[in-house]
Amino acid sequence: MFLLHEYDIFWAFLIISSIIPILAFVISGILAPVREGPEKLSSYESGIEPMGDAWLQFRIRYYMFALVFVVFDVETVFLYPWAMSFDVLGVSVFIEAFIFVLIPIVGSVYAWRKGALEWS
């Protein structure tokens, strides 16, 4: 029989973990000093007067490397539970995991061959 009281700890954790960040934002909004001026609105560069505009364009290559890192990092997180229960799962799951690993590798090789990962 499915009883909702079995999830009391889950709901308590969900409510508490939702209230804590909301309280942190509310308390910091109330206690934080509000003093606006030209010094407060200028960009800070180690105490030196800012030179030029604060908005610069970054090359897309930085984001490409970060995205490749995130893809492989998330893939590792998804593969960990599979690796822990490898002895229980069958051959079909091994083939699925192999395909799961093969897709980002093929994508990385394609991007590498096209020169998208060159740092020049």
Side-chain angles (χ1 to χ4, degrees), residues 38-116:
E39 289 296 319
K40 182 85 168 184
L41 297 175
S42 70
S43 59
Y44 179 73
E45 296 181 10
S46 304
I48 303 171
E49 283 293 320
M51 297 169 34
D53 193 14
W55 293 97
L56 340 161
Q57 288 186 341
F58 287 99
R59 294 175 47 195
I60 192 71
R61 303 235 184 252
Y62 298 115
Y63 301 109
M64 294 285 290
F65 280 98
L67 189 60
V68 168
F69 170 76
V70 168
V71 164
F72 281 102
D73 198 38
V74 169
E75 182 181 17
T76 304
V77 168
F78 282 132
L79 282 177
Y80 185 75
W82 171 80
M84 290 292 103
S85 59
F86 177 70
D87 55 346
V88 178
L89 304 172
V91 175
S92 64
V93 177
F94 175 74
I95 294 170
E96 290 175 6
F98 182 74
I99 293 170
F100 182 70
V101 170
L102 192 64
I103 290 171
I105 290 175
V106 168
S108 295
V109 169
Y110 175 76
W112 181 37
R113 298 279 299 222
K114 284 290 200 176

Side-chain angles (χ1 to χ4, degrees), residues 13-57:
F13 180 76
L14 185 68
I15 290 170
I16 291 171
S17 63
S18 299
I19 289 175
I20 289 175
I22 292 170
L23 278 176
F25 279 118
V26 168
I27 291 171
S28 69
I30 292 171
L31 297 179
V34 180
R35 294 185 204 119
E36 292 188 18
E39 289 296 319
K40 182 85 168 184
L41 297 175
S42 70
S43 59
Y44 179 73
E45 296 181 10
S46 304
I48 303 171
E49 283 293 320
M51 297 169 34
D53 193 14
W55 293 97
L56 340 161
Q57 288 186 341

